[in-house]
Amino acid sequence: MKIWIYINGQQEGPYTLEELLDKPVDENTKVWFEGLAKWYPAGALEQMRPLFDGSLTNPQHTESETAEPAEVETDTTVVTVVDTEAEEPAAEEKPASKYAPGRRFSKQNIPDEPCPPTYIGWTVFLTICCCSPVSLAGLIASICVSSYYNSGRLRQARKASEVAAWLIMAAIALGMIPVMLMSALFGK
C-alpha cells in the first residue's frame, strides 16, 4: 500500500508502512492512500494501526506477512474512522500558526482541497499603481483567502477569493475611466 502523508504543510510520499517508521508520523498526522475519499488522521484508520501498536517492529512477522500485497481490484474499501474530534489534544501538542502568533489550531483543520486563488499579485500591483480604496479592499480580501484556508474555513476562503477577483476587476475598470476621459478631452 502506497501512503502519502501531510507534514509541515506539505504532502510527502508515497511511502510504505515500514518507511513511515522513520518519519515523524503520529496519530494526528493526516494520511491518504488509494481508496480513501479524503485525508484522515493516521490514528483514525484501521490500516495504520500497525504503525502505532508496535506490530511493525515485532520480529515474529515473516517476510510474506510484511511484503507488499498484490493489488486486487475491489469495488469498496472499508475504512474505520475513529471520532478524534471528541478528544481535544493538550495545548502543547498543537502547532502554533505562523500567520497568527500565539493562535493554536489542529492539524485536522487542513482542508481536503487546494487553496482557492488569492490574487495577491494583482492586488499588490493595483494598490501600488492606483492606490484606490477598491484596490485596498481587494488586497484585504486576498489576504483573507489564505487566512480562512489555513484555519480550515474553506467556504469563507472561496467567497473571499471570489470577492477579491471582483474587486480587482472593479479597480481595473475604475482605473481606466480617467485614462479614457483624459484621452477624450485632451486627445487630438
Side-chain angles (χ1 to χ4, degrees):
M1 169 171 54
K2 301 295 181 187
I3 304 165
W4 282 262
I5 58 176
Y6 195 85
I7 294 183
N8 297 326
Q10 295 204 355
Q11 177 181 319
E12 297 181 15
Y15 299 113
T16 62
L17 267 175
E18 291 79 16
E19 291 172 328
L20 289 178
L21 288 172
D22 299 328
K23 302 292 176 189
V25 175
D26 62 15
E27 287 152 346
N28 292 324
T29 304
K30 292 280 191 167
V31 298
W32 181 89
F33 49 85
E34 191 171 329
L36 292 181
K38 63 179 190 172
W39 293 81
Y40 286 100
L45 299 171
E46 190 67 35
Q47 294 90 334
M48 301 299 291
R49 190 164 312 275
L51 199 60
F52 306 113
D53 66 8
S55 63
L56 275 181
T57 58
N58 190 347
Q60 295 176 356
H61 282 295
T62 63
E63 189 173 316
S64 64
E65 289 176 345
T66 57
E68 191 171 321
E71 291 188 27
V72 178
E73 222 176 285
T74 61
D75 292 337
T76 60
T77 300
V78 177
V79 177
T80 305
V81 179
V82 178
D83 183 16
T84 57
E85 296 292 325
E87 300 174 21
E88 184 65 24
E92 61 270 0
E93 293 177 11
K94 294 182 182 178
S97 171
K98 65 180 179 181
Y99 299 107
R103 182 168 179 217
R104 305 273 183 198
F105 67 96
S106 172
K107 290 180 186 180
Q108 296 172 356
N109 286 341
I110 300 168
D112 298 329
E113 60 185 69
C115 183
T118 61
Y119 305 109
I120 194 77
W122 279 102
T123 56
V124 168
F125 172 76
L126 289 170
T127 302
I128 291 170
C129 291
C130 303
C131 197
S132 72
V134 176
S135 60
L136 288 173
L139 181 61
I140 292 168
S142 294
I143 293 169
C144 287
V145 172
S146 58
S147 177
Y148 286 144
Y149 179 79
N150 290 332
S151 64
R153 296 182 288 177
L154 191 57
R155 187 173 52 85
Q156 288 95 339
R158 283 191 212 115
K159 183 67 176 171
S161 177
E162 184 179 319
V163 167
W166 280 104
L167 289 171
I168 288 169
M169 289 185 273
I172 290 172
L174 290 174
M176 295 302 284
I177 291 173
V179 172
M180 290 188 300
L181 287 174
M182 293 296 280
S183 64
L185 294 175
F186 301 110
K188 186 176 176 192

